[in-house]
Amino acid sequence: DSGVTQTPKHLITATGQRVTLRCSPRSGDLSVYWYQQSLDQGLQFLIQYYNGEERAKGNILERFSAQQFPDLHSELNLSSLELGDSALYFCASTSGASIGELFFGEGSRLTVL
Amino acid sequence: AQSVTQLDSQVPVFEEAPVELRCNYSSSVSVYLFWYVQYPNQGLQLLLKYLSGSTLVKGINGFEAEFNKSQTSFHLRKPSVHISDTAEYFCAVNFGNEKLTFGTGTRLTIIP
């Protein structure tokens, strides 16, 4: 158990819809990362937050947005969903004290029909 | 351009045989190197990392990796694999920024 909790574990929705994925980082971790894992693209970095502020941005679509709340949990919002958005979305957290030692949740599997 | 390459998408290996999973990167700056493992239906877990110092790094579950700066490689090795090593292995690189860039992964299949 990494200590990172993601909900929901599975989500099935239709094209055009909007969903919210939630992540609770490990206790004490200030930094949260979101990654998308798909068969054709592999693991793609989406966005990072540190203590409530956006720190780095990767290949995140404009239809996607994220935020980190004062209690440090984070949400990834995906809107106007397309079939190609079907993927496993991972959240990872770190204290920042050790470079690269990210602790991953078990992921949220999104299926868009 | 900065990139991470895992040329082998799948590697089948007989049980108790040695294995090497290859990882190469492209960068003109100093890097930090990692291997992560993903077991079926689970998140990624850190196997080992190279930040500085000795180029031979030992990790969990008997894995080790060697950093070769001249060849820009960080290959993962294990002298004798077990069925429980069946998983997907990801090489990851920190190019001196805030994020990890992952390779496309290598699926290791252990043949009994």
Side-chain angles (χ1 to χ4, degrees):
Chain A
D1 182 4
S2 67
V4 178
T5 304
Q6 288 187 250
T7 57
K9 287 193 180 345
H10 301 275
L11 191 54
I12 301 173
T13 189
T15 54
Q17 294 299 303
R18 173 190 171 94
V19 299
T20 297
L21 309 180
R22 182 188 168 103
C23 169
S24 294
R26 286 190 324 157
S27 177
D29 284 356
L30 299 178
S31 198
V32 169
Y33 296 73
W34 286 97
Y35 281 84
Q36 179 195 57
Q37 185 180 35
S38 60
L39 284 176
D40 54 343
Q41 298 278 342
L43 264 166
Q44 295 288 317
F45 168 71
L46 296 178
I47 198 163
Q48 180 211 359
Y49 279 83
Y50 180 83
N51 203 20
E53 293 191 5
E54 184 183 303
R55 192 72 165 253
K57 214 165 186 176
N59 302 322
I60 188 167
L61 300 172
E62 284 191 13
R63 299 184 286 109
F64 296 0
S65 65
Q67 54 184 324
Q68 185 179 28
F69 295 86
D71 68 352
L72 301 177
H73 91 271
S74 178
E75 293 181 356
L76 179 67
N77 300 296
L78 317 175
S79 62
S80 302
L81 286 168
E82 302 174 0
L83 296 178
D85 297 327
S86 295
L88 196 51
Y89 291 85
F90 283 110
C91 168
S93 75
T94 180
S95 64
S98 186
I99 299 169
E101 190 151 8
L102 301 184
F103 294 86
F104 281 80
E106 294 190 353
S108 293
R109 184 172 294 282
L110 173 66
T111 303
V112 182
L113 300 176
Chain B
Q2 298 171 333
S3 63
V4 183
T5 302
Q6 291 182 251
L7 285 174
D8 306 309
S9 59
Q10 295 188 59
V11 173
V13 181
F14 285 103
E15 195 173 11
E16 298 183 7
V19 68
E20 179 178 81
L21 306 182
R22 297 180 294 168
C23 173
N24 288 85
Y25 66 92
S26 174
S27 176
S28 57
V29 301
S30 295
V31 297
Y32 303 109
L33 301 159
F34 309 84
W35 277 97
Y36 279 79
V37 59
Q38 184 180 25
Y39 298 106
N41 300 314
Q42 293 188 28
L44 282 76
Q45 178 184 351
L46 181 66
L47 264 182
L48 49 79
K49 62 183 176 183
Y50 172 80
L51 302 182
S52 64
S54 173
T55 56
L56 183 63
V57 180
K58 293 192 184 300
I60 62 172
N61 301 339
F63 284 93
E64 63 180 32
E66 186 156 20
F67 170 49
N68 187 319
K69 189 174 181 180
S70 63
Q71 299 194 358
T72 59
S73 68
F74 191 55
H75 300 334
L76 181 70
R77 296 191 292 256
K78 186 169 183 178
S80 175
V81 296
H82 304 285
I83 292 288
S84 59
D85 293 323
T86 296
E88 186 137 22
Y89 292 80
F90 292 90
C91 179
V93 181
N94 181 312
F95 292 104
N97 51 29
E98 298 285 346
K99 62 185 178 80
L100 282 184
T101 300
F102 286 85
T104 49
T106 298
R107 186 173 298 278
L108 177 62
T109 302
I110 309 302
I111 306 166

